[in-house]
Amino acid sequence: MIQDEEQAQRRAALRALLARPLLTAERDPEALVLVRRHVSELRDWLSRETGWRLMVDSSSARLFKTVPDTRDATHPARGKAGEPYGRRRYVLICLALATLERADAQVTLGRLAEEVLSAAAEPELDFDFTLDSRAERADLVAVVRTLLDWGVLRRVAGDEDAYLSATGDVLYDVRRPVLAALLTGTRGPSTITAVPFEDRLAELTTEPVADTDDLRNQALRRRLTRKLLEDPVIYFADLDEAERAYLASQRHAIVRRLEEATGLVAEVRAEGIAMVDPDDELTDVRMPEQRTDGHVTLLVAEQLAMYGELTMEDLKSFVRRAAREHASFWRKGVTEPGAEDGLLSGALAKLTALRLVRVTDEAAVGLPAIARYALDEPVIKGQ
């Protein structure tokens, strides 16, 4: 019984780290206690199976995860209302972090805004930003609220809404230990010499090349384990030859270790593998979901599961018909001209993030895992 309880605690601690790679005592007290209690076992497992580092102290725990594919833009940072970050917010968050690195122990939002504005004016950034419009101020506030959520800042007094309406300011504590633990690259940014963005990102995340069979196999196991933890679905066709060969021989062992450590359940099909979370916690994109957007996404998935591939025009026509049919249940405005564009765009973005569809300029193509959303013919009992 004691052993079972220990295993359950280690699993809960690992799941907490996978869901939120940066835990703080203020926001995640119970999870942090579990991580600190089992830090030795967690470090061993993460190092062996994924190659990820785990840093833990009395006030925070940081799992230095790396994404399987740096070109994947389907899981963006999101604001308080769930809206995805755009380029301006990403640049602002980098400028804000650089400013906070040089700031005093406390900083006001107004002072932070001034420093960010000054940094944004550097000509080599090619970044046009002012604080003249409410939209620009709102983007800065969204970035600050993200930093609050991460634990980089702690609000002392004031409210961001007062800053937005120009009626007040906000005072924050700067939490340097958390700030220092944000970067996950394998190299320091100051050591990067490449100029094009893609090359700089590649240098920042590159890992040593294995030069023995044992090290190559270790690198393959870690890479595949990361993919299974981070990606909704792994399709065998997307793996390189070495990855496919290793997974074919070691699939059962890799999957078993993942299931035991995380509580995820493997769904293995001819086309690939998905690690499914019965508790629906280890994902930033959920399906099915309630409300209008969730219903639209499910209906679009059913159509693509049925037909395999549909043009954008066919899908827009389908969404328009669905909006008329469900107008009394969906939010207002869904039957207005052009409303189908936004509804379809949101649905396809979610399905793409879940590796259920591939979108081109002219069409959307259902990938194998979307078959789970196909509707069977109704069965009438007694016939």
Side-chain angles (χ1 to χ4, degrees):
M1 291 295 292
I2 294 177
Q3 185 177 3
D4 291 344
E5 177 63 22
E6 290 288 303
Q7 182 178 6
Q9 288 185 3
R10 285 195 299 271
R11 178 180 292 177
L14 180 56
R15 286 172 62 87
L17 287 167
L18 292 172
R20 294 186 69 101
L22 178 56
L23 304 175
T24 62
E26 292 83 3
R27 187 190 58 204
D28 319 285
E30 295 180 3
L32 182 58
V33 167
L34 285 179
V35 170
R36 294 184 63 195
R37 183 177 299 161
H38 300 283
V39 62
S40 179
E41 296 91 340
L42 292 170
R43 276 199 181 120
D44 289 345
W45 190 90
L46 287 163
S47 176
R48 182 177 62 253
E49 302 301 333
T50 68
W52 290 336
R53 293 183 295 123
L54 175 61
M55 184 179 74
V56 180
D57 58 32
S58 60
S59 60
S60 65
R62 176 64 162 131
L63 174 60
F64 292 90
K65 291 203 299 183
T66 53
V67 296
D69 184 359
T70 56
R71 298 164 298 177
D72 180 12
T74 61
H75 297 271
R78 295 185 180 274
K80 190 175 181 180
E83 73 283 6
Y85 266 35
R87 178 179 182 271
R88 184 161 67 188
R89 288 191 182 182
Y90 281 120
V91 175
L92 285 176
I93 203 166
C94 291
L95 295 178
L97 290 170
T99 296
L100 292 173
E101 186 69 32
R102 302 186 299 269
D104 294 331
Q106 288 188 323
V107 66
T108 64
L109 179 49
R111 180 62 177 170
L112 179 61
E114 291 174 2
E115 294 292 333
V116 167
L117 195 61
S118 176
E122 295 293 331
E124 59 267 24
L125 280 182
D126 189 25
F127 180 56
D128 184 22
F129 179 72
T130 69
L131 292 170
D132 296 338
S133 70
R134 183 179 177 87
E136 288 173 309
R137 294 196 300 275
D139 278 336
L140 180 61
V141 165
V143 162
V144 167
R145 284 173 171 163
T146 295
L147 297 178
L148 285 165
D149 182 57
W150 289 351
V152 175
L153 296 175
R154 180 192 292 121
R155 189 186 295 110
V156 176
D159 182 80
E160 291 81 26
D161 289 333
Y163 173 82
L164 271 178
S165 59
T167 60
D169 208 341
V170 196
L171 179 65
Y172 306 104
D173 285 335
V174 180
R175 302 190 62 209
R176 297 201 177 280
V178 179
L179 175 62
L182 285 184
L183 290 179
T184 62
T186 57
R187 293 177 54 181
S190 62
T191 68
I192 306 300
T193 58
V195 176
F197 172 75
E198 290 78 8
D199 295 343
R200 292 179 65 82
L201 190 58
E203 282 194 21
L204 186 65
T205 58
T206 189
E207 296 181 345
V209 177
D211 57 2
T212 67
D213 288 343
D214 286 344
L215 288 176
R216 279 190 287 271
N217 286 336
Q218 179 190 70
L220 283 169
R221 183 181 73 249
R222 287 175 170 177
R223 193 156 69 240
L224 289 166
T225 301
R226 292 176 187 179
K227 286 177 180 287
L228 287 165
L229 284 172
E230 292 292 285
D231 289 343
V233 181
I234 284 185
Y235 293 112
F236 299 138
D238 294 335
L239 302 177
D240 62 34
E241 185 176 350
E243 290 171 333
R244 283 195 297 272
Y246 187 84
L247 189 56
S249 63
Q250 300 296 320
R251 186 191 74 197
H252 294 293
I254 292 175
V255 165
R256 185 187 70 252
R257 288 193 291 267
L258 278 173
E259 289 182 330
E260 290 175 352
T262 66
L264 297 172
V265 178
E267 185 174 299
V268 182
R269 295 289 183 266
E271 300 87 358
I273 304 174
M275 299 301 298
V276 180
D277 182 15
D279 296 326
D280 195 28
E281 295 172 343
L282 302 185
T283 181
D284 59 339
V285 181
R286 288 175 172 79
M287 182 176 172
E289 280 188 318
Q290 297 179 348
R291 303 183 185 278
T292 301
D293 293 321
H295 194 186
V296 173
T297 303
L298 185 59
L299 292 175
V300 170
E302 291 172 352
Q303 288 293 297
L304 289 169
M306 185 184 307
Y307 295 105
E309 179 177 350
L310 289 170
T311 68
M312 290 299 175
E313 289 306 315
D314 287 340
L315 285 169
K316 288 179 183 179
S317 297
F318 169 74
V319 172
R320 281 195 295 269
R321 293 194 302 272
R324 291 193 296 269
E325 181 180 350
H326 301 286
S328 59
F329 303 101
W330 289 4
R331 64 171 176 262
K332 294 180 179 179
V334 293
T335 58
E336 295 292 327
E340 70 276 6
D341 293 339
L343 292 170
L344 179 60
S345 176
L348 291 179
K350 180 171 290 189
L351 294 174
T352 301
L354 290 170
R355 306 294 189 272
L356 297 176
V357 304
R358 183 178 67 252
V359 178
T360 67
D361 291 339
E362 302 296 331
V365 181
L367 297 176
I370 206 169
R372 62 164 47 211
Y373 295 100
L375 291 178
D376 292 332
E377 289 295 325
V379 176
I380 302 176
K381 293 183 178 181
Q383 292 189 3

